[in-house]
Amino acid sequence: MSFSTPDPLRPLILDDVRGAQKMLSGVARMTAMEGSRHLTQLVGAPVHLKCENLQRTGSFKLRGAYVRIAGLRPEERAAGVVAASAGNHAQGVALASSLLGVRSTVFMPVGAPLPKVAATREYGAEVVLHGTVVDETLEAAEAYARETGAVFIHPFDHPDIIAGQGTVGLEILEQCPEVRTIVVGIGGGGLAAGIAVAVKAVRPDVKVIGVQAAASAAYPPSLAAGHPVAIDPAPTMADGIKVGRPGDVPFGLIQELVDEIRTVSEDELSSALLLCLERAKLVVEPAGASPVAALLSDPGAFRGPVVAVLSGGNVDPVLLQRILRHGMAAAGRYLSLRLRLPDRPGALAALLRSLSVVDANVLDVSHVRTDPRLGLTEVEVELHLETKGPEHCLEVGAALREEGYQVIS
């Protein structure tokens, strides 16, 4: 199978995805399907997690990259391939190229997380750090392709890529034949489009629901306009689905086959990531947790059995720490307070004793004496507390006020 010179008038069909599945035999893993008791109770129907975060390279991207590069003509392979990515696509292209004996160059932003840069190099690619945002990196990669003749491997806007990603849908039907709803994150749209092509051809009754980060949702305005619309995406922790414009090829398929697009907030994303870690024991990146965020935000809206696709697990440890704190705060399990105390010996110790009485765990304490807003005999204390939930947060605040403490925030 090859789409290296695709006919734009010929639609992607189930046979294309099945051909991609044969090509990926022995290359991509059939990733696990794990049940979630917590989400099942919440939704009121069986919920399963399709664990593409456990795929080789840590995401589904290997599937499409391998099919695309394997479909190149001999002269195209000889010229090498080039890609631009901040993470998952970079690693997928690097490993796929190595497995196929093709030289690869991957452009990554200067600020890309070091673990992702190191992994891309270890998979065999030459990494070039260029630009501070992905758009600049993309321009550099396209310029390199023009100058050298290397084939540019787009992360989502090519039939081969979509056919490869669609093999996730075939696996879902095999592993959960009773599925009625599939929930999947959407950036450019390659994964959702591929899953929809595969699933709707076999089970047109199954609903396919796409999820975008509300801060970076290009599909709702594009679908309203009837064509891809470029937006200026705002910052989001879900950088894996932060795309300013839908791809032309996946857009047409999503417009035709995907039943609904939902958006989720940053709080919902961080809460979903925390749930995956605590309840499912799975490390998932924010983009990969977006389907779980959709389930958490409106659990009654999904007809079960539901399969939520965890598309990736490549998250920088430093970012993970920040997200977990954000998720704990969103779940009411992390409380920040500022208080004013008299500047005398024992005042801080008395405050900490009051917190121990209400069973609040102190994570950090900051003591400020030099703020011009403070009186001569005052100090300001900033506290970061671990709590048991929203009700406990209210209990902590009420107890401190009852003790006579001035809680500023």
Side-chain angles (χ1 to χ4, degrees):
M1 183 188 72
S2 173
F3 291 120
S4 54
T5 54
D7 177 359
L9 299 178
R10 185 181 74 80
L12 199 68
I13 59 173
L14 177 62
D15 283 348
D16 298 320
V17 183
R18 285 180 170 157
Q21 188 175 46
K22 291 179 182 177
M23 190 178 290
L24 288 167
S25 177
V27 176
R29 300 183 181 122
M30 177 182 278
T31 51
M33 182 86 77
E34 299 287 343
S36 171
R37 285 196 297 269
H38 179 78
L39 289 172
T40 293
Q41 291 173 353
L42 190 68
V43 172
V47 175
H48 305 280
L49 306 175
K50 176 60 172 167
C51 301
E52 281 297 289
N53 58 311
L54 303 180
Q55 184 57 261
R56 296 177 71 178
T57 75
S59 88
F60 70 97
K61 289 288 190 177
L62 171 65
R63 297 173 184 264
Y66 188 91
V67 173
R68 172 77 172 103
I69 297 168
L72 296 177
R73 298 186 299 270
E75 61 271 23
E76 291 175 319
R77 290 198 192 193
V81 299
V82 60
S85 169
N88 291 345
H89 181 58
Q91 294 173 67
V93 168
L95 179 57
S97 299
S98 294
L99 293 173
L100 291 164
V102 176
R103 185 179 70 258
S104 64
T105 302
V106 176
F107 284 74
M108 303 183 77
V110 172
L114 292 178
K116 293 185 179 182
V117 174
T120 303
R121 287 194 173 114
E122 289 170 8
Y123 286 130
E126 178 186 351
V127 174
V128 179
L129 299 177
H130 181 92
T132 56
V133 296
V134 174
D135 287 344
E136 295 173 355
T137 309
L138 180 62
E139 290 174 6
E142 291 175 331
Y144 178 90
R146 291 191 297 270
E147 293 165 5
T148 65
V151 178
F152 179 69
I153 306 299
H154 198 282
F156 50 80
D157 204 12
H158 194 282
D160 276 7
I161 295 287
I162 298 169
Q165 320 305 28
T167 59
V168 175
L170 294 180
E171 290 181 14
I172 290 172
L173 293 178
E174 180 178 344
Q175 293 171 298
C176 185
E178 68 278 14
V179 63
R180 299 177 76 186
T181 304
I182 297 172
V183 190
V184 56
I186 294 185
L191 177 61
I195 288 175
V197 167
V199 170
K200 291 289 189 177
V202 180
R203 288 277 309 281
D205 60 301
V206 173
K207 289 190 70 174
V208 179
I209 297 177
V211 184
Q212 293 208 286
S216 180
Y219 265 89
S222 297
L223 291 169
H227 58 83
V229 172
I231 65 166
D232 184 14
T236 173
M237 66 178 72
D239 58 349
I241 52 175
K242 181 184 175 182
V243 175
R245 182 186 184 277
D248 292 327
V249 180
F251 176 81
L253 295 168
I254 286 172
Q255 185 180 41
E256 177 186 357
L257 299 173
V258 171
D259 296 278
E260 184 183 355
I261 304 292
R262 289 176 168 257
T263 61
V264 291
S265 70
E266 298 299 291
D267 282 354
E268 289 162 346
L269 285 166
S270 58
S271 295
L273 188 148
L274 184 62
L275 184 145
C276 289
L277 188 62
E278 287 191 326
R279 298 299 184 99
K281 315 306 178 190
L282 293 168
V283 176
V284 182
E285 62 191 86
S290 59
V292 175
L295 296 178
L296 292 177
S297 68
D298 191 7
F302 300 90
R303 184 180 62 175
V306 178
V307 173
V309 181
L310 307 182
S311 58
N314 293 316
V315 57
D316 180 63
V318 176
L319 177 61
L320 178 61
Q321 183 180 36
R322 290 167 51 198
I323 293 170
L324 290 178
R325 283 204 169 188
H326 189 277
M328 289 178 69
R333 293 170 50 196
Y334 185 79
L335 180 62
S336 295
L337 292 173
R338 287 190 300 127
L339 304 96
R340 289 186 181 171
L341 305 178
D343 189 10
R344 62 170 182 259
L348 180 58
L351 170 62
L352 297 179
R353 280 195 298 272
S354 297
L355 291 170
S356 70
V357 170
V358 290
D359 205 21
N361 185 34
V362 179
L363 300 175
D364 293 299
V365 179
S366 176
H367 220 202
V368 178
R369 282 191 171 88
T370 57
D371 194 310
R373 294 171 297 178
L374 295 173
L376 291 174
T377 60
E378 287 183 319
V379 295
E380 188 170 284
V381 175
E382 184 174 354
L383 296 164
H384 300 285
L385 309 174
E386 183 182 4
T387 60
K388 300 173 184 177
E391 291 183 3
H392 191 208
C393 289
L394 295 174
E395 181 186 342
V396 170
L400 291 175
R401 292 183 179 93
E402 189 175 324
E403 290 279 339
Y405 290 104
Q406 181 185 357
V407 180
I408 302 169
S409 63

